[in-house]
């Protein structure tokens, strides 16, 4: 009997080993490496990381994974209106701005709500799958230029969560609670930038950066991520928002976009990327859930065409997502995952977070300090949680995000 137990235990250990990441196979986060004949030397100091390694990594991520970003010029402010001086029972002031660029063929609607208390307010920027009206439950807000995706009708007519559900899935952020906790919220519709459709997206993506080489054509994930930066350009012109406390949130494909935004734009002070999965926080090399071949096959417009080339062997990728998290260091990152959401590869995101830790340490910060996957340490600079349930954002996921912001925004990090 003892022998049988030992055999079963050994088999379990082997099976576990087979799906665990082989961390030694990851591109070294601080060690020397070579990319297309160029030697990236060992990183020994914060200066080495910020000034030498990070710019090269940003360039490699654009070339091989996300595509070349548009120029960093702000969009022009076309108009700005107050939609409701006393929205949410008088808790907030709702406004809408239109930003545009003729050259890039972009017209972006930003809707935002501010608490009535004196500012400047910390702000959370969110992406709306179904237009800004869905973020603020307000039909007066403009629709995205190309209209709403079909699935949005389903959410509009959906009944509110059952009163006895202890932790309902929320389609929109809990605006009332955010306002009561002192947060302003800004929202933009990704469909204003690029409609999420593989057959039509390529032309607008090309127009947003016509000089990108064809294999490095801008992908929709990075285009949506660039949207967060355009919202920040605008918010930073308004003294009611605190430029030292700007957080971003994204779920799933929008979580991938948020990861690129935070990696490429230092002005973002904190990020909650929830269930961002492949192309987001989870390692591209991970064997669990959606593979590089699945995502580039199903959503070819999301990435630079180069990323698909690694579909048959992601181990050949010159970068992996722990380095994307490293580009966010030392800013606080919260990663959420669901047990029943294996497609988004919860373990691959945890492993990426752990492997990004040396960059945080190099800058005098800590990586994840939690002892279990389930319980995040809200004061740590990298926090992760694996909760029961499926793909989607629940009320308690938002609760965790707010706790994480409260914890880190007590003392602004920028000088
Ligand atoms: C699909 C896709 C995922 C993505 C998800 C979502 O499932 O395969 O990569 O994260 O859609 O955005 O909801």
């Amino acid at each position: 009997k003892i022998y049988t137990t030992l055999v079963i235990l050994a088999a379990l250990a082997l099976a576990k080993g087979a799906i665990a990441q082989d961390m030694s196979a990851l591109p070294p986060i601080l060690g020397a490496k070579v990319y297309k004949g160029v030697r990236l030397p060992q990183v020994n100091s914060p200066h080495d990381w910020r000034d030498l390694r990070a710019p090269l990594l940003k360039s490699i991520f654009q070339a091989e994974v996300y595509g070349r970003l548009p120029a960093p010029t702000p969009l022009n402010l076309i108009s700005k209106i107050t939609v409701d001086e006393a929205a949410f029972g008088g808790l907030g002031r709702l406004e809408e701005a239109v930003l545009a660029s003729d050259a890039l063929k972009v017209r972006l609607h930003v809707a935002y709500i501010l608490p009535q208390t004196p500012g400047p307010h910390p702000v959370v920027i969110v992406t709306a799958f179904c237009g800004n009206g869905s973020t603020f439950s307000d039909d007066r807000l403009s629709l995205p230029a190309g209209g709403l995706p079909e699935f949005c009708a389903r959410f509009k007519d959906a009944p509110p969560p059952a009163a006895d559900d202890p932790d309902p899935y929320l389609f929109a952020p809990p605006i009332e609670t955010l306002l009561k906790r002192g947060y302003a919220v800004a929202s933009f519709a990704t469909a204003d930038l690029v409609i999420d459709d593989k057959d039509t997206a390529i032309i607008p993506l090309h127009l947003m950066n016509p000089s990108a080489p064809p294999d490095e054509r801008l992908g929709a994930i990075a285009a949506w991520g660039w949207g967060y930066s355009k919202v920040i350009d605008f918010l930073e012109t308004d003294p009611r928002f605190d430029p030292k406390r700007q957080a971003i949130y994204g779920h799933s494909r929008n979580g991938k976009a948020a990861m690129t935004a935070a990696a490429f734009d230092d002005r973002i002070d904190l990020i909650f990327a929830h269930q961002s999965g492949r192309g987001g926080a989870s390692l591209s090399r991970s064997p669990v859930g959606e593979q590089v071949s699945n995502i580039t096959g199903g959503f070819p417009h999301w990435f630079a065409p180069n990323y698909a080339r690694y579909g048959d062997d992601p181990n050949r990728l010159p970068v992996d997502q722990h380095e994307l998290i490293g580009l966010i260091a030392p800013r606080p990152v919260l990663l959420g995952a669901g047990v029943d959401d294996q497609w988004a590869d919860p373990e691959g995101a945890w492993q990426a977070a752990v492997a990004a830790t040396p960059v945080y340490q190099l800058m005098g910060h800590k990586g994840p300090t939690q002892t279990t996957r389930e319980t995040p340490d809200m004061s740590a600079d990298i926090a992760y949680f694996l909760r029961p349930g499926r793909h989607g954002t629940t009320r308690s996921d938002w609760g965790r995000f707010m706790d994480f912001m409260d914890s880190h925004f007590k003392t602004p990090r920028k000088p």
Side-chain angles (χ1 to χ4, degrees):
K1 203 169 167 199
I2 290 175
Y3 175 77
T4 321
T5 315
L6 283 176
V7 170
I8 291 172
L9 283 177
L12 281 174
L14 268 180
K16 199 162 172 261
I19 52 163
Q21 302 301 322
D22 175 5
M23 302 284 261
S24 62
L26 288 179
I29 188 120
L30 299 180
K33 62 180 194 173
V34 175
Y35 173 69
K36 291 195 170 163
V38 177
R39 188 164 182 279
L40 283 62
Q42 162 85 33
V43 173
N44 293 313
S45 66
H47 155 80
D48 287 356
W49 177 267
R50 268 195 210 107
D51 301 330
L52 305 174
R53 179 65 63 99
L56 287 171
L57 282 180
K58 285 181 191 172
S59 178
I60 302 175
F61 270 112
Q62 290 180 60
E64 305 287 354
V65 183
Y66 296 111
R68 295 280 169 197
L69 290 172
T73 14
L75 303 175
N76 301 315
L77 176 63
I78 305 296
S79 65
K80 198 164 118 170
I81 54 159
T82 299
V83 179
D84 193 340
E85 282 182 354
F88 291 87
L91 282 175
R93 182 185 175 87
L94 182 62
E95 301 180 10
E96 184 184 64
V98 181
L99 313 174
S101 158
D102 288 344
L104 305 185
K105 304 270 179 297
V106 165
R107 197 175 170 82
L108 182 66
H109 297 87
V110 186
Y112 49 97
I113 194 160
L114 293 129
Q116 305 282 18
T117 48
H121 302 283
V123 59
V124 184
I125 305 169
V126 305
T127 34
F129 278 108
C130 294
N132 292 331
S134 67
T135 303
F136 297 107
S137 321
D138 195 318
D139 287 340
R140 289 170 293 181
L141 294 167
S142 309
L143 290 173
L148 296 178
E150 256 170 53
F151 70 83
C152 292
R154 188 155 39 100
F155 291 105
K156 200 164 169 26
D157 305 331
D164 60 350
D165 184 341
D167 192 18
Y169 287 87
L170 302 182
F171 181 59
I175 302 291
E176 248 183 78
T177 317
L178 281 155
L179 288 169
K180 284 185 183 153
R181 289 176 72 155
Y183 292 97
V185 181
S187 165
F188 69 99
T190 50
D192 256 358
L193 295 168
V194 182
I195 294 175
D196 192 5
D197 171 42
K198 67 174 183 309
D199 298 324
T200 60
I202 304 301
I203 293 173
L205 287 167
H206 171 73
L207 290 175
M208 287 169 80
N209 187 358
S211 61
D215 290 340
E216 301 175 14
R217 187 256 305 130
L218 173 66
I221 297 291
W224 299 329
W226 177 83
Y228 287 94
S229 295
K230 296 306 102 187
V231 174
I232 289 187
D233 292 343
F234 167 68
L235 297 181
E236 289 199 340
T237 64
D238 186 334
R240 294 173 298 169
F241 297 99
D242 184 348
K244 295 178 180 164
R245 290 180 293 168
Q246 308 187 110
I248 65 170
Y249 157 79
H251 176 241
S252 206
R253 66 198 68 186
N254 294 346
K256 305 179 208 297
M259 289 293 295
T260 66
F264 292 126
D265 188 343
D266 293 343
R267 297 171 302 171
I268 293 166
D269 298 300
L270 180 150
I271 169 172
F272 175 31
H274 189 45
Q275 301 177 324
S276 61
R278 196 71 58 232
S282 301
L283 294 168
S284 292
R285 283 163 169 73
S286 172
V288 179
E290 183 172 33
Q291 296 298 292
V292 173
S293 54
N294 300 130
I295 199 165
T296 54
F299 308 95
H301 58 302
W302 282 6
F303 300 97
N306 269 341
Y307 192 43
R309 303 228 159 95
Y310 299 97
D312 53 356
D313 184 8
N315 285 306
R316 288 191 300 110
L317 265 163
V319 282
D320 212 324
Q321 303 306 99
H322 60 313
E323 291 162 292
L324 195 74
I325 301 177
L327 288 174
I328 305 174
R331 294 165 286 152
V333 177
L334 176 65
L335 303 175
V339 174
D340 301 331
D341 184 25
Q342 290 302 315
W343 186 243
D345 184 18
E347 184 60 15
W350 169 256
Q351 297 295 343
V354 171
T357 299
V359 188
Y360 280 77
Q361 288 170 339
L362 188 72
M363 297 184 184
H365 289 251
K366 285 190 205 142
T369 42
Q370 62 200 81
T371 46
T372 68
R373 310 264 202 287
E374 287 73 23
T375 317
D377 173 358
M378 290 303 176
S379 68
D381 291 308
I382 305 182
Y384 168 99
F385 65 88
L386 178 62
R387 53 125 172 97
R390 60 172 168 84
H391 196 65
T393 309
T394 67
R395 188 179 286 154
S396 68
D397 295 337
W398 270 102
R400 284 181 148 160
F401 179 29
M402 287 185 264
D403 291 346
F404 191 65
M405 287 193 290
D406 286 354
S407 160
H408 288 279
F409 283 165
K410 271 188 297 214
T411 39
R413 301 165 74 82
K414 284 180 198 154

